[in-house]
Amino acid sequence: MHLGLLSSERLSFDPLKPILLSGPATEESTVAFSGNVVLSLGKPTKVVTISVSLKTVATTFWPEGIGARGTRLSYEKTLSEQTVQVLDASDQPKGYIQVPSGIHRFVFTFVVPNSIVETIDDVYGRVKHTVEARVTSPGISLLNSWHISKPVLVLRTYLSTGMLTNHSVQDLSRTFEKHLTALDLQLIVEKAAFSSGDLFHIRCIMQPQIKHLQLEHLDMFVIESRRFAVPEMHALRTDSAKLLFTFLTAHELDGGSLPPAAWAGLLGKQPMPIPVHDTVASRLTFASPTCVRNCHHSTTFKEILFRHHLSIHLTFSYPDYDAPQDMASMSATSTPTSSRPASPSHSPGSSAPSTPTGAEFPSSSTTWLPKKLRKQQNHGTSGAPRKRETLKFELPIDVYDCRLKEDFGRLPSYFELSSSSPAIRTPPNGKNKRAPLSRANTASSLVEPDAESASSSAAGGIEPHVFLCPCYFSFRRQVERASQVQLLPPPFSEDDSMPPLDKIPSKPPPEYVQ
């Protein structure tokens, strides 16, 4: 019988914590990754060595075929590999040791450099980290060895270790300013980095400089550029995808005159123009693209490279008084007036004129002008044709993994160290507390915001929430189980000489008495 088939019952790992890297890959720092190898023996067993290895493998898939003949469909490359010996009995007189029956735990620790490639999972490429334990017994190593492997998640955050050492805070905001004849615009991106499914905020401050100014359309999206390469095979594939932001709500800042509900019509699929008569100062909240819609996190690995660029397009219109007067007079005299005002158009190519005085407008169905020329003529209250301009703002932006929506590097509180209840206990009415992992919270968080829910939230005043995907909940449970394994004592302990306060979990300090 091949004893390797029984290794899953005899050899296992305690729940492992994910590896969280800090800052860019060029920063010189290290992270300690530790865990326990559990060896379960039903009878005394001879053991020579117990080794644990951490391996990183990058794999790219090529359905079109690569290589000299184009017959190779995948390419695998080992990026790094570390091995530690948690037990070595080869120098013993017998060449092995007799391990008694029972459950035995062996601690291992790896020093992981910050330059390691984070976990990547895509259809055409992935980077996978695995930790493997191997137990060797005397005799033929092929028959007398047990082994087990388990995947390890490696994530990267933007919070740099060097900045924490220098007690500094990284400013991720970006500011754009435009001073034009029609308006003065200041656009502030509060944070040029986000996690998939997180809330994204921008501030728009606009001061009109001419009359009859209208906002026509606002569009914001992320361009994800993907690059897969195998230099050894001279293979290269590039593509890109457009990921849209979903508008949730808007809040008026001090000095703003535009109602927040007006932004919902401006950002919809059929935009409704907004007349601007005074200063506009609003804070807009968007729902960022999610992993459900195939949004990947930014990477630094050259062979599987994902980059993101944020694009903001703002379109406005104003009367063009420099246009030829014969064109304006011809369209004004040749178009009869209607007995009732025309309904505003909702197409992107036209804008709805403001009607503060109840003026009547010409009907577009009775004009003799060609269709293309009629779309270009957009008349306002002044009778002059309108001129449309589009401002485009672009900047590189970092997208982080959807699991990084909470700081899991904090110190555990006392109620989490309790050995009686391993689950998280959260006060029901506490503020700034994490909600328990209940079915109701999970189901409500899994609902991805769309355009209809965005318009209802803007009108009804529903507070926007972060989209929590299933992989986030899986990551959260994994971290909490791994924390309990490292903090809780073993089920039985023969050493009772240790004081109670030196054990984990310790007793909470007494309450402060005034």
Side-chain angles (χ1 to χ4, degrees), residues 335-396:
T335 306
T337 58
S338 176
S339 59
R340 58 180 180 180
S343 59
S345 174
H346 301 305
S347 62
S350 61
S351 61
S354 59
T355 58
T357 59
E360 297 181 353
F361 293 88
S363 175
S364 59
S365 60
T366 58
T367 181
W368 61 272
L369 293 176
K371 186 177 180 180
K372 294 183 179 180
L373 186 58
R374 190 188 311 137
K375 282 189 175 182
Q376 294 177 359
Q377 291 183 2
N378 193 355
H379 302 281
T381 56
S382 60
R386 303 188 66 86
K387 183 178 181 180
R388 296 168 58 94
E389 292 187 7
T390 301
L391 298 178
K392 298 182 179 181
F393 305 96
E394 296 183 356
L395 74 154

Side-chain angles (χ1 to χ4, degrees), residues 457-475:
S457 63
I462 302 176
E463 188 69 22
H465 60 277
V466 178
F467 174 73
L468 302 180
C469 52
C471 45
Y472 167 80
F473 288 100
S474 176
F475 171 74

Side-chain angles (χ1 to χ4, degrees), residues 419-436:
S419 59
S420 59
S421 177
I424 293 182
R425 295 175 295 178
T426 307
N429 297 326
K431 295 183 178 179
N432 298 330
K433 299 287 186 177
R434 293 187 299 171

Side-chain angles (χ1 to χ4, degrees), residues 23 94 232 273 327 427:
K94 296 183 179 180
E232 294 81 1
M327 180 67 67

